[in-house]
Amino acid sequence: MDVMVEGPRAAQVASMMQEREIPFAVAVGDVAVLIDKEQGSSFSTKKTTAMVRMTMDWERYHRLDVIYEFMENLQKEFPFLCAVISIGQSAEGRDIKLLKISNGNPNNTGVWMDGAIHPREWVSISVVTFIADRIVRTFNDQPASVTNKDWYIVPVLNPDGYEYTHTTDRMWRKNRSRYGECVGVDLNRNFSYGWGEKGEEGSSDDPGSIFFRGPKAFSEPETLALKKVILKSGVDFKVFLSFHSYGEVIIFPWGYTSDACPDYVELLEGGTAMAKAIFQESGHTYKVGSTKDLMYYAAGTSIDWSYGVANVPFSYMIELRGKKHRFLLPSEEIVPTARETMNGVLSLLDFVDSRCRGTQSK
Ligand SMILES: [Zn+2]
């Protein structure tokens, strides 16, 4: 677990840990330095930020309004390919916007991509928007495995949490719904499949915990919005990708149990195709395995639900860069991370099409 403490309290916390014989290490000495670096040198004073009118790029991290404007502009520029749809409102009433990319062929299968279900994982948004932008702008040069898909892309699944990481707490993980004195549900523990399994190891029933699963499955408007799109859009989804950071791992179901899922080997192969393409692009080594193999029990996750309930055969959670800076990935690493990930995603689609070809006519 990562804990951030104010500078003057660091020594006090360290001695508390020592007294209780809890092993610990200081991961980042001064987080303020990293935060400055994360946004690049031109962002080191608040004054500069307020005065500059921002438009979308992948040189820095952006606020929600800039990301939503980027989606609307893409629709205006490519009206025959793009549609922006609000799929619901967050707990605080913000729109959750989806970008659909499609050539309108009724035989297309579906690909889902989301970012920022955990809002502090900023680079997930950059990667998802980068891939969307590239696909749209180079659509006619893309292989059939890209153009024969309907792409459903939600760059910011948790808009309230995301804004909160900019205004108040850079390390916020949950959404912003109120439960008594406490705020927020871990949306990636709020899905119905395996919800609440494995007790406190898989999620938490304590509203004060960062892993709070909510009072019941799909108690939150953000998870409910995702569920409705997947189940009601009438598209045959073959791929579900949820982007997170950090750790450089590609993980697949199950998270609620250590048992292998029925398609373990297929999913391992698809994940390996992604990892190989990433390695070829950048030399970064992403590990591949089930949630419990590589990390820990996680019950009520979106990928267990998409695979187990919505029957999306290739469901993955991708933990992006980076190991050293953790959640605070420096802005100059955004483009390399996005490029390697896009390479991975395209490679997965080739793999999926080669596997699904036999069943496509059904
Ligand atoms: Zn995450």
Side-chain angles (χ1 to χ4, degrees), residues 287-353:
K287 292 180 184 172
V288 185
S290 76
T291 311
K292 174 60 177 147
D293 286 352
L294 290 182
M295 299 172 80
Y296 35 69
Y297 285 122
T301 64
S302 66
I303 60 167
D304 277 9
W305 176 84
S306 64
Y307 175 77
V309 178
N311 296 315
V312 185
F314 293 94
S315 291
Y316 295 95
M317 192 172 126
I318 299 165
E319 297 274 7
L320 301 158
R321 294 190 197 185
K323 289 167 183 163
K324 184 172 164 208
H325 300 95
R326 302 189 168 212
F327 300 111
L328 306 175
L329 189 71
S331 52
E332 63 263 25
E333 282 198 57
I334 295 174
V335 170
T337 306
R339 276 189 208 284
E340 72 191 13
T341 309
M342 180 158 176
N343 228 31
V345 171
L346 297 191
S347 179
L348 174 69
L349 295 187
D350 277 344
F351 176 83
V352 169
D353 273 17

Side-chain angles (χ1 to χ4, degrees), residues 117-118 121 173 244-245 317 319:
I117 189 172
H118 291 147
E121 300 163 12
R173 173 183 166 93
H244 293 246
S245 73
M317 192 172 126
E319 297 274 7

